[in-house]
Amino acid sequence: MVTVVTKLVHYLHLSRRSGQYTMNHDDSKRIPDGASFDRSGSQDSLDAMSLDDFWKEVENIHETRGNNHEERQAIVLKEPDEGELEEEWLKEAGLSNLFAESTGDSQESMVFLSTLTRTQKAAVEKRVETVTQTLRKKNKHHQIPDVRDIFRPQSDPKGKVCDRSEPSAVRTTESKNEMQDETKDLKFSLGTNEQKSPLEDMPFSETDINLEIPFAEQAANLKDNSVGKIYKDGAGDTLRTNFRLPKDKTGTTKIGDLAPQDMKKVYSLALIELTALYDVLGTEFKQQKAAKIKTKDCGLFGVPLSVLLEQDQKKVPGTKIPLIFQKLISQIEEATLETEGLLRIPGVATRVKSLCQELEAKFYEGTFNWENVKQHDAASLLKLFIRELPQPLLTVEYLKAFQDVQNLPRKKQQLQALNLLVILLPEANRDTLKVLLEFLQRVIDHREKNKMTLNNVAMVMAPNLFTFQGLGSKSIEQSEFAMAAGTANVMRFMIQYQKLLWTIPKFIVNQVRKQNTENQKKEKKDKAMKKLLKKMAYDREKHEKQDKAPNDADVPQGVIRVQAPHLSKVSMAIQLTEDLKASDIVARFLSEKSGNVQTLKKEEVFLYEIGGNIGERCLDDDTYMKDLYQLNPNAEWVIKSKQS
């Protein structure tokens, strides 16, 4: 097989030189050099990149596999029964009680559903309907609520019910108004007084990634040509466009800034939003499932990330990135990142294999001699580590979804999809991917010396992340050649816009806030009812007065009390002003340190928003406190380090 693949690679090199090359998917098609491999219409995709580095890397990978006589057990993708995929999707979205025999916390699910947008609701409806029809065919008797009971149909001002079966042209104006109302509810129902429609007056440009309006809603309105003020003719939406995140006065939320209970809600919302986005754009989104396979329970290469971290945490408590992965990166960087052809030029295959075996035996003992590792060998070992993971770094579940990002019609939508996919990755995969992308950017920063541009690095790394030996040779050969340019573009975007990808969209954070607010209201009602039934109204009133006293009595209007239990100044009343930022508050506390307090650096401590309509959120330095206070007036404010 290696010989066949090598011949095919050489054939592709020759075909490219003659101005054509053949991409074999289900059938062979001749595509002229320079053709675009996505539906964006952007001619930049291949004009800006040479695929030579990609094909050379593919050839190097196959040569490495040819020298490795150990046969890996192939991962078998489970073919789901009819409706099983949708059932799994509803479970992942936290909505299993809509079809499962054990209903769970139906109240919480109803609150969750009430915060969904129009397109998110449509995505849920579609899956519920499929599961319902499937179970009926199988004569199952689960009590599945009718879709009409889950989501109340919305009426227009004249009382007519919106029928989703109507042609889009008929309901364009109606959909626009509905979307504006829902987005306004989502954005402004948490205490702000803003009344303008966010769609009509939002000052976003074509290069801005709008995180305030749900991505699927943006796509739906673009599709209906109903928001021409925001979206023009797609000009500038090309590979060369430098997309950016506009500043948010209430603070940008990064992955890792929220408490686990809120991140669980973020995960469910991201899955639903991604599905809704793919639905609106007419792209199939399916999570793949793999049958369980036997994997190594110790070692370095070919070991699951979870097992690696478990054994690494015994040596370095709290570590989130495999130690061997960290060491390989540091080994490459210690020898300077200015080496020409870094990452592109492979190490000697026999030497890399020998080093791999020696590392397995000596790494954890601390007896491995790193001085013997040449820089190109270390780079080859790093790529080998990624390829040898028993399941791909981008996971079996979402690898195809990452690949399919190239099929979305606009670059901005591709970035939005990648943002949601990164949120959906397991924590270990996400953390490892983040360290990898940061390292690749540092390599690119030295491109004038090492000749490794963004395009070069994307071409070299794409085969290592997007082709996966364990999924079987036939499908991988197809994806290697048929999707070469597309996966390289996706890799490029992941490197170039990595800071954006680790941002939780504001509309999702707002949905989490709304869920928390509604759940708190229900909890209060439930508690009040129980106390009434127990005839303890007097005690309840007394308790409520005690709860209110500290907040109302000692903190004047427009002032917040900030706690800093680990600093010498443990509490401080702060007067809110229009330009007061989170960084200003942290600076005030640090300036109050006494000599007996351990020296702390600004980058080690952060201001946290705790309680109210959020579980816990670490604030970025540029958060304007007065704006955030208006959004969450019942929060507590605490300064602490992320480790505390």
Side-chain angles (χ1 to χ4, degrees):
M1 177 192 152
V2 174
T3 305
V4 173
V5 172
T6 305
K7 286 181 179 178
L8 182 53
V9 171
H10 285 306
Y11 170 72
L12 286 165
H13 278 299
L14 291 172
S15 299
R16 267 197 317 285
R17 291 191 185 105
S18 65
Q20 293 181 323
Y21 44 89
T22 302
M23 306 297 272
N24 182 10
H25 205 338
D26 294 325
D27 52 4
S28 296
K29 297 179 183 179
R30 285 208 173 279
I31 302 175
D33 193 28
S36 176
F37 280 84
D38 61 30
R39 290 157 41 199
S40 67
S42 167
Q43 194 65 28
D44 298 321
S45 299
L46 293 186
D47 290 347
M49 297 184 184
S50 165
L51 286 170
D52 288 343
D53 290 338
F54 187 98
W55 302 124
K56 287 174 184 175
E57 184 67 18
V58 170
E59 191 169 3
N60 291 333
I61 290 171
H62 284 296
E63 286 177 358
T64 303
R65 288 174 182 167
N67 292 327
N68 186 358
H69 299 295
E70 294 182 13
E71 289 292 329
R72 176 187 293 191
Q73 182 180 357
I75 292 178
V76 179
L77 292 178
K78 294 167 66 176
E79 291 294 332
D81 296 333
E82 187 180 6
E84 185 180 336
L85 200 64
E86 284 74 12
E87 281 191 27
E88 196 63 38
W89 186 90
L90 288 166
K91 287 179 183 177
E92 288 287 319
L95 297 172
S96 58
N97 67 310
L98 294 182
F99 66 89
E101 291 180 351
S102 58
T103 57
D105 189 349
S106 58
Q107 283 282 73
E108 189 170 333
S109 290
M110 290 303 109
V111 168
F112 179 85
L113 291 167
S114 71
T115 65
L116 300 185
T117 65
R118 172 181 57 125
T119 48
Q120 290 172 351
K121 288 175 182 177
V124 174
E125 286 176 0
K126 184 177 178 181
R127 274 77 198 168
V128 170
E129 286 175 354
T130 302
V131 172
T132 304
Q133 292 169 5
T134 302
L135 293 179
R136 281 175 182 162
K137 287 179 184 177
K138 294 179 179 179
N139 295 317
K140 300 267 183 169
H141 299 291
H142 293 321
Q143 295 296 318
I144 303 179
D146 191 281
V147 169
R148 290 168 294 184
D149 297 329
I150 298 172
F151 299 116
R152 240 180 299 156
Q154 296 195 359
S155 300
D156 66 12
K158 297 179 181 179
K160 294 180 181 179
V161 175
C162 293
D163 184 354
R164 294 186 187 279
S165 64
E166 292 180 19
S168 60
V170 176
R171 58 184 178 86
T172 297
T173 304
E174 190 172 310
S175 297
K176 178 183 176 182
N177 293 335
E178 178 186 347
M179 190 268 185
Q180 289 177 351
D181 290 341
E182 290 193 4
T183 310
K184 187 160 58 178
D185 287 344
L186 191 69
K187 184 180 175 187
F188 302 124
S189 65
L190 299 168
T192 60
N193 295 318
E194 183 75 48
Q195 296 299 321
K196 294 180 180 178
S197 165
L199 277 177
E200 293 186 0
D201 296 306
M202 194 68 69
F204 290 100
S205 72
E206 280 297 321
T207 58
D208 288 338
I209 299 297
N210 185 346
L211 299 182
E212 297 194 19
I213 297 174
F215 300 151
E217 296 291 344
Q218 294 180 40
N221 281 271
L222 176 63
K223 192 174 180 181
D224 290 340
N225 295 318
S226 60
V227 284
K229 290 181 182 178
I230 297 177
Y231 296 103
K232 299 178 182 176
D233 59 359
D237 190 19
T238 67
L239 194 64
R240 295 192 182 105
T241 301
N242 288 319
F243 295 106
R244 67 182 187 90
L245 283 179
K247 287 288 185 182
D248 179 3
K249 295 194 79 173
T250 60
T252 300
T253 305
K254 297 288 187 181
I255 295 173
D257 286 351
L258 293 180
Q261 66 267 29
D262 284 337
M263 274 306 298
K264 187 176 179 182
K265 297 183 180 76
V266 167
Y267 177 89
S268 298
L269 289 164
L271 177 59
I272 295 172
E273 178 65 18
L274 180 67
T275 308
L277 179 63
Y278 274 56
D279 283 354
V280 168
L281 297 175
T283 300
E284 186 179 46
F285 170 68
K286 286 187 177 181
Q287 295 165 274
Q288 298 185 107
K289 291 293 178 184
K292 289 185 178 180
I293 61 170
K294 187 176 180 181
T295 57
K296 293 168 64 177
D297 55 6
C298 63
L300 298 175
F301 297 87
V303 180
L305 277 177
S306 57
V307 174
L308 270 173
L309 288 174
E310 187 178 342
Q311 62 189 22
D312 287 352
Q313 285 165 359
K314 293 175 182 176
K315 293 188 172 292
V316 183
T319 188
K320 293 186 175 182
I321 312 298
L323 296 177
I324 181 62
F325 191 76
Q326 295 181 53
K327 181 58 183 175
L328 287 170
I329 287 176
S330 65
Q331 183 70 15
I332 296 168
E333 294 192 292
E334 283 173 12
T336 181
L337 293 178
E338 296 183 353
T339 305
E340 187 169 338
L342 184 61
L343 298 180
R344 183 175 62 230
I345 299 173
V348 178
T350 53
R351 191 166 61 228
V352 169
K353 183 178 180 181
S354 175
L355 287 169
C356 182
Q357 294 171 344
E358 192 176 352
L359 276 166
E360 290 279 8
K362 298 179 179 180
F363 179 73
Y364 284 115
E365 294 178 0
T367 57
F368 181 81
N369 186 2
W370 285 97
E371 292 180 1
N372 294 334
V373 181
K374 298 181 184 298
Q375 191 180 38
H376 289 296
D377 292 342
S380 292
L381 285 167
L382 181 70
K383 292 185 285 186
L384 180 66
F385 173 86
I386 296 168
R387 295 196 307 271
E388 289 295 305
L389 288 170
Q391 292 204 14
L393 185 60
L394 301 179
T395 72
V396 169
E397 287 80 3
Y398 296 114
L399 181 62
K400 186 176 185 301
F402 271 97
Q403 292 171 336
D404 288 345
V405 163
Q406 64 183 300
N407 298 325
L408 302 184
R410 293 170 66 88
K411 296 300 178 186
K412 190 177 287 189
Q413 291 162 348
Q414 293 175 11
L415 281 176
Q416 292 169 339
L418 283 172
N419 182 198
L420 297 169
L421 280 165
V422 166
I423 292 172
L424 291 173
L425 289 176
E427 187 175 0
N429 298 64
R430 195 168 57 217
D431 291 342
T432 304
L433 177 64
K434 188 172 190 292
V435 169
L436 174 64
L437 295 179
E438 289 171 346
F439 164 68
L440 296 179
Q441 184 57 57
R442 292 196 295 274
V443 172
I444 293 165
D445 290 341
H446 293 80
R447 57 189 172 276
E448 290 187 6
K449 295 284 187 179
N450 60 31
K451 310 302 180 186
M452 295 300 294
T453 64
L454 174 60
N455 293 341
N456 298 139
V457 173
M459 286 292 173
V460 169
M461 294 307 299
N464 292 283
L465 262 75
F466 287 97
T467 63
F468 187 67
Q469 182 185 9
L471 292 178
S473 59
K474 184 178 179 182
S475 62
I476 293 311
E477 284 176 24
Q478 289 176 351
S479 68
E480 281 174 352
F481 302 113
M483 298 196 296
T487 55
N489 282 339
V490 172
M491 188 75 226
R492 174 192 169 109
F493 267 28
M494 289 171 66
I495 299 169
Q496 186 175 5
Y497 296 106
Q498 54 188 279
K499 291 182 180 178
L500 184 156
L501 300 184
W502 262 261
T503 301
I504 302 175
K506 184 176 181 179
F507 69 85
I508 289 183
V509 177
N510 281 350
Q511 285 181 287
V512 170
R513 290 184 187 277
K514 192 171 182 180
Q515 286 179 37
N516 290 338
T517 300
E518 294 301 316
N519 283 325
Q520 287 167 8
K521 287 179 182 177
K522 289 184 178 294
E523 287 175 9
K524 286 181 180 179
K525 286 181 181 178
D526 292 343
K527 286 180 181 179
M529 183 59 70
K530 288 178 182 178
K531 288 177 181 179
L532 280 171
L533 292 172
K534 293 177 181 180
K535 298 180 180 180
M536 298 175 63
Y538 175 78
D539 290 340
R540 182 186 73 243
E541 291 171 8
K542 182 179 178 182
H543 181 66
E544 288 174 350
K545 287 177 183 177
Q546 290 172 347
D547 282 349
K548 290 178 181 177
N551 292 329
D552 297 341
D554 62 359
V555 181
Q557 188 69 24
V559 175
I560 61 172
R561 182 161 293 282
V562 180
Q563 306 292 333
H566 302 293
L567 300 179
S568 56
K569 183 81 172 179
V570 297
S571 179
M572 190 184 296
I574 304 287
Q575 177 69 52
L576 295 175
T577 60
E578 293 294 336
D579 58 352
L580 182 71
K581 296 182 181 180
S583 58
D584 300 326
I585 294 177
V586 174
R588 287 190 199 182
F589 272 87
L590 292 179
S591 68
E592 295 283 341
K593 291 186 302 182
S594 61
N596 60 348
V597 178
Q598 182 180 358
T599 302
L600 289 172
K601 296 178 182 177
K602 167 63 187 74
E603 56 270 19
E604 294 175 349
V605 291
F606 301 88
L607 180 60
Y608 280 77
E609 168 194 8
I610 300 175
N613 53 41
I614 203 77
E616 180 176 293
R617 175 173 172 251
C618 179
L619 305 183
D620 73 65
D621 287 347
D622 291 329
T623 302
Y624 285 83
M625 295 306 299
K626 190 170 183 179
D627 293 85
L628 182 57
Y629 175 76
Q630 291 173 347
L631 185 63
N632 191 6
N634 296 319
E636 295 179 359
W637 313 95
V638 178
I639 292 179
K640 60 177 183 174
S641 66
K642 284 195 174 183
Q643 288 73 34
S644 62

